């Protein structure tokens, strides 16, 4: 793939060659900009790098927002990624008694997709390399940025001199601990908030089992996200294309510290996640529990995201979130699509004007920062809420009744009543609008349920408790409780 490399073409420096940064580099290259994509680490596609990555990241769930951004590239990226994805139609809740309960995410044709983070990142990097106007610089650590001059200084290894690059625009996509954000904070009055939750995570592996023909097959139903919710901690399992499951144990740091012997760990798993133990295997469970890294979970909100027409942050650099709504990658990909739609709206071109400016860019950055920060704060809050839902609420009778009622109303009035999960995962409705709409729906559903219960009480008084009492009992599970 090639585009013009005219010296007057706009040049963007994208910091971070992760998922969001690499997709953004592709979008800018398609606009005709010259792109420098910088990455702190070595090329993740190198065999020696792959060997060290196991157990360092939570599996990803790709849904409509992410698919829309991949699709919008015009490169069939969505089809490429889905070829190696596993569709997930529902949660499978595993109880302490050993029972399993399926909870559909939406309608029969709606599903999210389990994808491998590393494979997805590798595919995007390989595609980015095909553009003649993208240069990828690995092992470049951003040290300092003079945003007004567009000068970026990088450390490239002990004994090597620092390198300086120039760019008309800096786009920071370098994650939750962003150097780009730090440089941006030196130039603007940024409101910044971060929160660590008292939950660590550890990855475990569930290998395939052999069927009667000696062939590998999934140890659990592969079209479910499996959850063992235990109120203050939980185990989840997502399928991989190679028929393994990546299991993630989420638990308070203190519990990890207490489970410090093989005997304690095995007793804990046999008590809390009994059906998972023979599928993971005792020996492998203990090996990975004690050797895989423990990750921490952080939520970050900040605004604004930009400095004039010089710099902007996207993805986790702007809005890191806990992983419990499966929207971190999807939100980051949507950042890219929204950013470029706003650049189009303001007529931002690929060439510098006679005065060395990029006309419309400042206004575009302001609009992007204002719009996207509102939505990012909304999904950060939803992700926090879903932590509670996944580890606890999914087994609550009241929660299950509410979900059933919403599903019935959605089937009867598909455009008037849309469940929150459907709006977040299966549409591209703004996150902030989804919350507002869900709050309105909740008010009407509660009001309707209350009115129905009162009506039932009146009917019962007229016709006798023989008929009224069952109606009240039937509706009471939908009533809000203080």
């Amino acid at each position: 793939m090639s585009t013009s490399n005219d010296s007057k073409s706009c040049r963007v420096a994208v910091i971070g060659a992760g998922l969001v940064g690499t997709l953004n580099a592709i979008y800018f290259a398609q606009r005709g900009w010259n792109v420098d994509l910088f990455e702190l680490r070595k090329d993740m596609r190198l065999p020696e790098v792959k060997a060290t990555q196991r157990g360092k990241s939570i599996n990803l769930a790709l849904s409509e927002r992410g698919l829309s951004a991949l699709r919008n590239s015009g490169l069939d990226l969505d089809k490429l990624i889905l070829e190696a994805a596993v569709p997930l139609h529902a949660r499978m809740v595993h109880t302490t008694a050993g029972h399993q309960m399926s909870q559909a995410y939406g309608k029969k044709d709606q599903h999210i997709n389990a994808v491998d983070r590393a494979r997805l990142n590798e595919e995007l990097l390989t595609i980015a390399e095909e553009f003649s106007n993208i240069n990828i610089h690995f092992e470049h650590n951003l040290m300092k940025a003079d945003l007004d001059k567009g000068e970026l200084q990088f450390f490239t290894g002990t004994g090597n001199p620092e390198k300086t690059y120039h760019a008309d625009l800096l786009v920071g996509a370098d994650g939750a601990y962003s150097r780009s954000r730090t440089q941006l904070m030196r130039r603007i009055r940024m409101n910044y908030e971060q929160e660590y939750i008292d939950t660590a995570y550890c990855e475990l592996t569930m290998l395939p089992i052999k069927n009667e023909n000696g062939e590998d097959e999934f140890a659990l139903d592969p079209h479910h996200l499996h959850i063992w919710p235990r109120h203050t901690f939980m185990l989840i399992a997502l399928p991989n294309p190679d028929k393994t499951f990546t299991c993630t144990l989420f638990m308070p740091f203190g519990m990890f510290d207490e489970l410090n012997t093989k005997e304690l760990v095995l007793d804990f798993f046999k008590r809390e996640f009994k059906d998972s133990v023979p599928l993971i295997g005792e020996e492998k469970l203990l090996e990975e529990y004690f050797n895989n890294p423990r990750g921490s979970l952080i939520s970050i909100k900040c605004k604004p995201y930009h400095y004039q027409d010089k710099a902007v942050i996207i993805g986790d650099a702007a809005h890191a979130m806990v992983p419990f709504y499966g929207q971190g990658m999807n939100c980051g990909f949507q950042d890219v699509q929204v950013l470029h739609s706003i650049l189009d709206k303001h007529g931002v071109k690929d060439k510098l004007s006679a005065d060395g400016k990029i006309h419309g860019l400042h206004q575009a950055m302001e609009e992007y920062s204002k719009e996207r920060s509102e939505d990012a704060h909304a999904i950060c809050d939803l992700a926090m809420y879903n932590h509670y839902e996944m580890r606890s609420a999914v087994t609550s009778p009241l929660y299950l009744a509410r979900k059933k009622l919403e599903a019935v109303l959605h089937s009867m009035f598909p455009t008037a009543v849309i469940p929150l999960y459907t709006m977040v995962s299966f549409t591209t409705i703004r996150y902030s609008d989804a919350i507002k709409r869900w709050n309105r729906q909740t008010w009407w559903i509660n009001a309707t349920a209350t009115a129905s219960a009162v009506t039932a009480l009146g009917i019962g008084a007229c016709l006798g408790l023989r008929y009224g009492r069952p109606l009240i009992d039937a509706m009471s599970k939908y009533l809000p409780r203080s």
Side-chain angles (χ1 to χ4, degrees):
M1 302 178 190
S2 64
T3 60
S4 171
N5 256 330
D6 189 295
S7 60
K8 293 184 179 179
S9 293
C10 301
R11 180 170 292 276
V12 59
V14 180
I15 313 299
L19 297 171
V20 176
T22 308
L23 181 63
N24 199 30
I26 292 170
Y27 265 68
F28 269 108
Q30 289 180 311
R31 301 185 72 85
W33 288 45
N34 293 323
V35 182
D36 286 304
L37 178 59
F38 297 96
E39 172 54 46
L40 168 65
R41 298 160 296 184
K42 293 182 179 180
D43 188 343
M44 65 183 301
R45 295 166 294 179
L46 297 173
E48 62 267 28
V49 176
K50 286 186 176 185
T52 65
Q53 293 304 304
R54 187 65 189 163
K56 290 191 176 181
S57 67
I58 300 169
N59 263 28
L60 302 174
L62 180 63
S63 55
E64 178 54 28
R65 294 172 195 271
L67 285 169
S68 177
L70 294 170
R71 192 183 305 126
N72 193 59
S73 70
L75 300 175
D76 289 333
L77 297 181
D78 57 322
K79 296 177 182 177
L80 176 67
I81 301 307
L82 288 178
E83 286 176 0
V86 181
L88 304 177
H89 296 273
R91 295 169 175 164
M92 184 68 80
V93 177
H94 296 247
T95 69
T96 51
H99 303 306
Q100 297 184 20
M101 177 172 50
S102 180
Q103 298 177 358
Y105 284 126
K107 297 179 180 178
K108 290 183 178 180
D109 61 338
Q110 292 176 324
H111 61 269
I112 59 177
N113 303 277
V115 297
D116 180 81
R117 177 193 295 269
R119 180 185 179 277
L120 175 53
N121 209 157
E122 290 170 13
E123 293 279 10
L124 291 175
L125 283 169
T126 300
I127 290 167
E129 282 182 332
E130 296 176 4
F131 285 86
S132 63
N133 55 332
I134 296 180
N135 291 309
I136 306 179
H137 311 271
F138 294 105
E139 298 182 79
H140 275 60
N141 186 6
L142 179 65
M143 302 303 293
K144 184 179 179 182
D146 187 327
L147 299 179
D148 291 303
K149 293 181 179 180
E151 291 184 356
L152 312 176
Q153 295 181 8
F154 292 87
F155 173 75
T156 60
T158 303
N160 296 331
E162 286 192 353
K163 290 186 177 180
T164 300
Y165 296 82
H166 291 79
D168 301 301
L169 174 67
L170 179 149
V171 179
D174 46 344
Y177 305 100
S178 168
R179 287 285 184 89
S180 304
R181 186 180 64 236
T182 300
Q183 296 301 311
L184 191 59
M185 293 172 79
R186 294 175 182 272
R187 300 295 293 129
I188 64 174
R189 296 188 302 275
M190 178 186 286
N191 293 318
Y192 177 83
E193 172 189 341
Q194 74 173 41
E195 179 182 356
Y196 281 98
I197 64 173
D198 185 27
T199 298
Y201 69 89
C202 178
E203 277 197 356
L204 308 168
T205 307
M206 187 180 291
L207 296 174
I209 58 175
K210 299 291 185 182
N211 61 22
E212 56 187 17
N213 298 320
E215 300 168 333
D216 285 348
E217 65 179 28
F218 286 102
L220 295 168
D221 184 336
H223 299 300
H224 284 78
L225 186 157
H226 294 262
I227 309 178
W228 289 258
R230 301 297 183 261
H231 299 290
T232 58
F233 56 91
M234 66 178 170
L235 179 70
I236 69 170
L238 281 88
N240 299 306
D242 62 359
K243 300 190 186 307
T244 63
F245 274 87
T246 298
C247 305
T248 308
L249 175 63
F250 294 98
M251 194 163 63
F253 282 90
M255 290 187 67
F256 273 111
D257 293 338
E258 292 170 1
L259 297 176
N260 54 12
T261 69
K262 292 181 179 181
E263 293 76 15
L264 287 174
V265 172
L266 281 180
D267 287 346
F268 172 74
F269 267 80
K270 288 179 179 179
R271 181 176 68 252
E272 301 293 348
F273 316 122
K274 184 177 181 180
D275 56 338
S276 75
V277 175
L279 300 178
I280 297 174
E282 292 186 9
E283 184 177 341
K284 189 165 188 62
L285 166 61
L286 293 173
E287 175 193 350
E288 294 191 325
Y289 179 89
F290 286 107
N291 291 306
N292 282 354
R294 309 281 166 78
S296 57
L297 300 172
I298 189 173
S299 178
I300 291 174
K301 299 177 185 176
C302 65
K303 68 176 181 180
Y305 293 158
H306 75 292
Y307 169 59
Q308 297 180 6
D309 59 352
K310 306 297 184 181
V312 66
I313 52 175
I314 63 174
D316 283 357
H319 48 67
M321 64 194 71
V322 294
F324 303 109
Y325 222 116
Q327 286 295 304
M329 172 187 64
N330 293 290
C331 182
F333 280 178
Q334 190 176 46
D335 286 351
V336 176
Q337 185 174 358
V338 170
L339 173 62
H340 286 268
S341 68
I342 292 176
L343 293 178
D344 289 340
K345 175 182 174 181
H346 287 272
V348 176
K349 306 299 183 183
D350 63 334
K351 298 289 191 293
L352 296 172
S353 62
D355 60 359
K357 299 289 186 180
I358 305 173
H359 287 175
L361 184 58
H362 192 174
Q363 294 87 345
M365 293 295 100
E366 286 185 342
E367 181 174 338
Y368 172 80
S369 189
K370 181 179 180 181
E371 174 181 321
R372 203 60 187 154
S373 62
E374 182 181 4
D375 289 327
H377 291 183
I379 189 57
C380 283
D381 290 340
L382 281 176
M384 281 290 197
Y385 165 76
N386 226 44
H387 182 209
Y388 157 74
E389 180 174 299
M390 288 181 69
R391 74 176 193 262
S392 183
V394 291
T395 59
S396 162
L398 185 61
Y399 167 84
L400 296 173
R402 167 64 188 249
K403 295 287 284 186
K404 287 181 180 179
L405 177 60
E406 279 189 339
V408 170
L409 293 175
H410 182 47
S411 65
M412 295 171 62
F413 314 104
T415 60
V417 178
I418 307 177
L420 179 61
Y421 191 90
T422 297
M423 287 189 280
V424 170
S425 298
F426 303 129
T427 77
T428 57
I429 296 171
R430 290 183 59 182
Y431 291 118
S432 55
D433 288 344
I435 289 182
K436 292 171 187 174
R437 180 167 183 165
W438 183 69
N439 285 333
R440 290 195 301 269
Q441 287 177 183
T442 298
W443 189 91
W444 282 109
I445 289 172
N446 288 343
T448 301
T450 302
S452 298
V454 172
T455 301
L457 181 62
I459 294 173
C462 295
L463 301 180
L465 292 179
R466 177 182 179 183
Y467 300 104
R469 184 72 258 167
L471 284 171
I472 295 171
D473 291 341
M475 291 304 301
S476 65
K477 61 185 177 182
Y478 302 125
L479 293 174
R481 296 181 182 179
S482 57

